[in-house]
Every structure is written in structure tokens, then in C-alpha cells.
């Protein structure tokens, strides 16, 4: 009989975090011992040494990473950054660290918002499975996790079992899976304790779909017969087993939906025992928080843990903080981490935001050498601040590799997000920015920024002109402002695309093997991402140029 102890998990975390330096040394030693027979490590002259000093002296970041243990499968990144997925080794150690992260964050979450023996409405999906030339199975990192028996056991331990059967999670058609996730969630509505997905985008997408299919879902529940839209035999058979005619539940759902004002608070209205909404909500997910709060009403939003396709970094041990302020405690025994200090250059523009400051990189330092209040780029070995003897808590700022630039200007995805948020405030009350992305257009001289918006409904030309000018003025990077003033960068262009354009982009990535629950809208679309750029360009319905720096 497996017994999950919240106190034991928290105590274990506190013991690990108080001795983070030793834990990091032991973790590095373990990694090097496990992989000591790898040809890659043998060629570097470590000669069996496993201490941090020898490691730093011999191992260079530019080298490829190989392992001494067999790789069981390959994880695919979402591919939204460069237009194609990265192939990342996946093994049992990564699976173990994933379960450790899940249990650690749940223990702290459950201490503040305790849940009982219920179910979780999880919008999770598998991806297509492909076989590499070497015979390994390749699928998204989340699919590798969901496929494991250990995931199912852990979800049971932490009282987070999915409402939907496996056939829905691993179904080949995500639209049918999404419909059935909603249906199963409604069938078990009194038992649902949490609403979650890997990313906030998936939850927003799910309830955007609910707005259009709720009447059909009510009909299924009333009659006890699954909609004809579900054609995958395995999904249809599994969900039909859960369906029984339930007119009273159908009436209850119908009454809630017709009285809601623009779907505000739909989640707590339909799932009255839900305690919170959970998923990754930082970084590129922040733009979806406004809509997610609209659906969640009074329910708290909690940001999930900090990781990457290569491995996990930290757990959210302060779940009461709003997602915008979320911090993550680095777990010192799940990987060996180094931090590259990002020092501000001496000459800085006072108007620069934290994300537009240009930095000078220093030599990497260890986990326990970071200082409170300083900024770093994390390097993990699994690549991915007074001085602290215990593990530090870190806050995500932005991904430095994603930069919108024409010449000397540099604007990150955080800068883009802030600009869009500022401009969106000028839009009419009922006009929402559904999604957005950008492109640095250098096909003409001078080059200029292009911002793509999908809107919930039509906006007037006057409103779009004001939004366009606001976008242009919101990029406060000194290189951009100076270049705009002298004409080295042309007027910013705001292009409005047809409704559904970003869904077309989503389907494009699903066709490449991505999973819905791992999808992130690309915030910068370069020439290398030509298919997405073509989708955007052929769906443009109107464009406006900025006059913020003159006609």
C-alpha cells in the first residue's frame, strides 16, 4: 500500500535545500560516475575525477552531451522557437526527477490549499510517436512522462488522477480528445478538485472551445449517448462506458451556462469543489493570464514548476504568490547547475526595463554562490542572491535567445509582451487580443518590426492606429528608440489576421509531432520558420503603420 506523506516530502526538501552545496557536489559526482565510460567524457582527460573543479577545467559547454547509460527514448521540444523540434535524450533519471518535482510542489501546494480524494480535470494530450533511425521512440517530453506507469502511480499518490481514460489522453485527434476531456470533467463535476494542464494556453484554449460546444455536451449527458463528432473507436468506446442518461446534470449545466455573463467564472460555477487552477503560467504564458482569470473567477491561479525540455530546474514552493511573482526553489539533487552572472554595462539608459538591459557575461558560478537580487543565465547538466548556503529561489525573467532585432536594437519576448499589454488597453472594451506574434522584416530598407494580432472582433481604424503607435513607443530599448529617431528602423507595422489563424499555426505544429499540452505560440517568427510566416501573411486582413516618430 503506497502512502503519500506531505510532511515527509516537505521535510526531505528542506534537508536537501539546507545543504545545497554538498548536494550539488554529490549530484555532479553521481552524473560523472554513471557516465564515466562514455567515450565523450574519456576523451576530455577527467581520468576518473568527479570534483567540480576538474569538471569545470575539462568540460566545455560547446561539446555535445552523451551518456554512459542507455537512452530509453527521445523527447521532442515543442519546436516553436526555431520552427523545428529539438531531439533530447530521455531516460529513467529524468522520469524520476519529474516525479520528485511533482511531489515536492504538490506537498507545498496541498499545505496551503488541501484537496481530498477526488479527481483532476487535466487537459493533457500525447503527441504522435515516431521512430528514429537508431530505433528509438521519439515523442514530446510530456508524452514520455504521461506514458509511464510511474506517472499514473504518482498522480494517484498526490490525489490528482485524471477524469479522462487513457484512450482520451493518448488519442490521435486532439479535438476529439479535448471534447472528451470536457465531457468527462462534467460527468465527474462534483469530484473534480483541480483544473490543470501543462501550459496555461491549453486551459484557455479548452474553455474557448467549451463556449462553442457546451450545448452539444449537455445533449450527450442528457441522452447518455456520445456525440457523432467522436469517431476514433478507442476514444468512443472508453468514454461511452462512462456515459449514462443524466437529465438533471444536463439541466444544471445548461442553467449555469445561460446565466453566466460572458463566461466569467465558468470554472467554479461548473466545478464547485475545485480548489485552484494549475499550470505553467510564467514567460510566454503570461499573456493568457487575463483570459484565464476571467474563466477562473474567484479560484486562485497557481504557476507550475520551472523546467525545460532538457530537464527540471526548480519547484514552486510558494504557491500563494500570483503567477506574475512566482519563484522557484532549485532542487540541488536533480542536476548540476551553473549560473552565468549577467552584469550590467556601465552606461545604461534609465528608461530601460530589466529585460532590455544589455549584459556582460562573467564566468559561471555554482548554485550556492548566487547572490540575492542579481540576474543569471542558468546552465544545467542533464544545458539547460548575500551568498546562500541553502538552495536559492529564482524568478523567471525571459529567454535571452529570443530577441527581436533589426540592427543594434534588442527586444525580448518580455518586452514584446509588455508592449502588447500596453497597446491592448487602448482597444475598445469588447475587443480582446486573442494571440500575437512578431517578425523583423528586413525585406525592405530600412527594416521594421511587424506585430501580428488576432482580435476577438473587428476594431475601428482609429483604434488600430492608436494601438500601433502605442506598440511602437512601448519598445524603450535605447538601440530601438535611437534607430527609430534617425530612420535606421522603419515605422512599426501592426497586421491584423483572421480569427482562427493561431489555431492554424497550432495545427501546423501538431502535424510536426507536437502535443497540444506542450504547445507555445512562437513570439518571434524568423525566416527559418517559413511555414508559420506564410500562414500569418496569407491571413492578414488589414495593416496599420505607426506615426509615433513622425509620418
Amino acid at each position: 500500500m503506497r502512502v503519500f506523506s506531505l510532511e515527509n516530502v516537505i521535510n526531505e526538501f528542506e534537508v536537501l535545500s539546507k545543504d545545497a552545496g554538498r548536494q550539488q557536489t554529490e549530484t555532479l559526482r553521481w552524473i560523472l560516475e554513471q557516465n564515466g565510460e562514455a567515450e565523450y567524457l574519456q576523451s576530455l582527460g577527467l581520468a576518473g575525477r568527479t570534483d567540480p573543479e576538474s569538471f569545470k577545467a575539462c568540460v566545455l559547454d560547446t561539446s555535445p552531451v552523451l551518456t554512459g547509460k542507455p537512452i530509453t527514448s527521445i523527447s521532442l521540444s515543442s519546436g516553436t522557437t526555431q520552427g523545428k523540434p529539438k531531439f533530447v535524450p530521455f531516460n529513467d533519471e529524468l522520469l524520476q526527477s519529474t516525479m520528485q518535482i511533482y511531489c515536492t510542489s504538490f506537498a507545498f501546494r496541498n499545505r496551503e490549499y488541501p484537496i481530498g480524494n477526488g479527481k483532476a480535470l487535466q487537459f493533457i494530450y500525447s503527441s504522435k510517436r515516431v521512430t528514429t533511425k537508431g530505433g528509438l521512440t521519439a515523442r514530446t517530453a510530456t508524452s514520455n512522462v504521461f506514458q509511464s506507469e510511474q506517472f499514473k502511480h504518482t498522480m494517484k499518490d498526490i490525489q490528482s488522477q485524471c477524469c479522462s481514460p487513457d484512450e482520451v489522453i493518448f488519442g490521435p485527434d486532439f479535438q476529439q480528445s479535448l471534447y472528451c476531456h470536457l465531457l468527462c470533467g462534467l460527468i465527474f463535476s462534483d469530484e473534480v478538485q483541480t483544473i490543470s494542464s501543462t501550459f496555461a494556453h491549453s486551459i484557455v484554449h479548452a474553455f474557448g472551445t467549451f463556449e462553442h460546444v457546451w450545448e452539444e455536451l449537455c445533449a450527450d449527458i442528457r441522452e447518455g449517448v456520445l456525440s457523432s463528432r467522436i469517431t476514433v473507436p478507442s476514444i468512443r468506446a472508453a468514454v461511452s462506458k462512462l456515459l449514462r442518461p443524466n437529465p438533471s446534470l444536463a439541466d444544471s449545466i445548461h442553467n449555469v451556462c445561460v446565466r453566466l455573463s460572458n463566461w466569467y467564472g465558468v470554472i467554479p460555477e461548473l466545478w464547485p469543489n475545485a480548489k485552484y487552477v494549475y499550470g505553467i503560467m510564467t514567460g510566454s504564458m503570461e499573456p493568457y493570464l487575463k483570459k484565464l482569470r476571467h474563466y477562473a473567477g474567484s479560484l486562485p491561479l497557481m504557476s507550475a514548476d520551472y523546467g525545460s525540455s532538457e530537464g527540471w530546474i526548480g519547484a514552486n514552493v510558494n504557491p500563494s504568490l500570483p503567477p506574475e511573482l512566482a519563484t522557484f526553489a532549485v532542487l540541488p539533487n536533480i542536476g548540476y547547475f551553473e549560473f552565468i552572472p549577467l552584469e550590467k554595462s556601465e552606461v545604461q539608459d534609465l528608461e530601460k526595463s530589466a529585460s532590455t538591459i544589455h549584459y556582460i557575461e562573467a564566468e559561471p558560478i555554482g548554485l550556492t554562490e548566487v547572490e540575492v537580487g542579481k540576474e543569471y543565465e542558468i546552465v544545467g547538466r542533464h544545458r539547460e542572491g548575500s551568498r546562500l548556503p541553502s538552495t536559492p529561489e529564482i524568478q523567471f525573467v525571459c529567454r535571452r535567445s529570443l530577441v527581436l532585432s533589426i540592427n543594434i536594437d534588442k527586444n525580448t519576448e518580455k518586452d514584446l509582451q509588455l508592449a502588447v499589454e500596453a497597446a491592448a488597453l487602448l482597444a475598445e472594451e469588447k475587443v480582446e487580443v486573442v494571440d500575437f506574434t512578431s517578425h523583423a522584416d528586413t525585406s525592405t530598407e530600412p527594416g521594421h518590426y511587424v506585430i501580428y494580432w488576432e482580435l476577438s472582433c473587428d476594431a475601428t481604424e482609429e483604434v488600430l492606429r492608436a494601438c500601433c503607435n502605442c506598440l511602437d513607443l512601448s519598445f524603450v530599448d535605447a538601440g530601438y528608440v535611437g534607430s527609430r529617431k534617425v530612420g535606421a528602423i522603419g515605422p512599426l507595422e501592426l497586421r491584423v489576421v483572421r480569427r482562427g489563424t493561431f489555431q492554424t499555426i497550432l495545427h501546423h505544429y501538431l502535424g510536426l509531432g507536437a502535443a497540444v499540452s506542450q504547445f507555445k505560440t512562437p513570439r518571434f517568427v524568423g525566416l527559418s520558420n517559413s511555414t508559420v510566416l506564410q500562414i500569418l501573411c496569407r491571413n492578414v486582413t488589414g495593416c496599420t503603420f505607426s506615426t509615433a516618430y513622425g509620418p
Side-chain angles (χ1 to χ4, degrees), residues 1 5 25 29-30 260 288 293 343 384 390 481 498:
M1 179 73 179
S5 171
T25 300
R29 180 188 61 76
W30 182 87
L260 284 174
Y288 304 110
R293 285 195 171 100
E343 301 290 344
E384 238 299 20
S390 59
V481 173
R498 291 185 183 87

Side-chain angles (χ1 to χ4, degrees), residues 278-485:
Y278 182 69
I280 294 173
M281 300 179 186
T282 53
S284 60
M285 293 297 115
E286 277 193 37
Y288 304 110
L289 290 180
K290 180 181 178 182
K291 191 66 174 180
L292 190 54
R293 285 195 171 100
H294 181 84
Y295 288 134
S298 59
L299 277 184
L301 303 184
M302 293 189 198
S303 188
D305 309 303
Y306 180 23
S308 64
S309 298
E310 293 83 355
W312 289 101
I313 297 168
N316 183 355
V317 297
N318 292 302
S320 60
L321 289 175
E324 294 90 343
L325 301 177
T327 59
F328 308 93
V330 179
L331 270 64
N333 67 332
I334 62 171
Y336 182 71
F337 300 101
E338 292 177 312
F339 293 75
I340 301 174
L342 303 177
E343 301 290 344
K344 299 175 184 177
S345 60
E346 293 183 4
V347 180
Q348 294 290 339
D349 191 317
L350 294 177
E351 292 185 346
K352 285 186 178 180
S353 67
S355 54
T356 60
I357 292 172
H358 297 170
Y359 294 99
I360 300 171
E361 293 186 4
E363 287 298 310
I365 61 175
L367 177 65
T368 58
E369 298 174 294
V370 300
E371 298 181 41
V372 172
K374 292 192 175 183
E375 293 189 12
Y376 302 87
E377 181 175 3
I378 300 177
V379 181
R381 303 288 172 186
H382 16 248
R383 180 135 174 156
E384 238 299 20
S386 62
R387 294 181 184 269
L388 305 175
S390 59
T391 193
E393 288 185 34
I394 58 178
Q395 190 170 39
F396 181 86
V397 177
C398 62
R399 288 182 286 178
R400 292 184 73 213
S401 60
L402 297 184
V403 178
L404 188 60
S405 179
I406 299 290
N407 45 38
I408 63 169
D409 53 303
K410 287 183 174 63
N411 283 294
T412 68
E413 64 177 333
K414 183 66 173 179
D415 300 313
L416 175 63
Q417 176 191 325
L418 293 173
V420 169
E421 288 175 355
L425 293 175
L426 301 178
E428 297 164 350
E429 184 178 345
K430 293 185 179 180
V431 179
E432 292 182 12
V433 178
V434 175
D435 221 330
F436 64 92
T437 190
S438 64
H439 172 64
D441 187 351
T442 56
S443 62
T444 57
E445 184 64 35
H448 67 288
Y449 288 7
V450 179
I451 311 298
Y452 293 91
W453 274 10
E454 181 180 325
L455 302 175
S456 59
C457 56
D458 294 337
T460 65
E461 285 296 322
E462 182 181 0
V463 166
L464 292 176
R465 280 196 298 271
C467 290
C468 186
N469 286 345
C470 183
L471 283 167
D472 205 2
L473 293 171
S474 295
F475 290 109
V476 295
D477 167 66
Y480 182 78
V481 173
S483 297
R484 284 288 286 118
K485 286 179 178 179

Side-chain angles (χ1 to χ4, degrees), residues 165 183 224-226 230 234-244:
L183 181 57
V225 178
L226 187 57
I230 307 304
S234 58
I235 298 179
R236 189 168 188 88
V239 177
S240 293
K241 290 178 182 178
L242 304 176
L243 261 179
R244 299 287 184 275

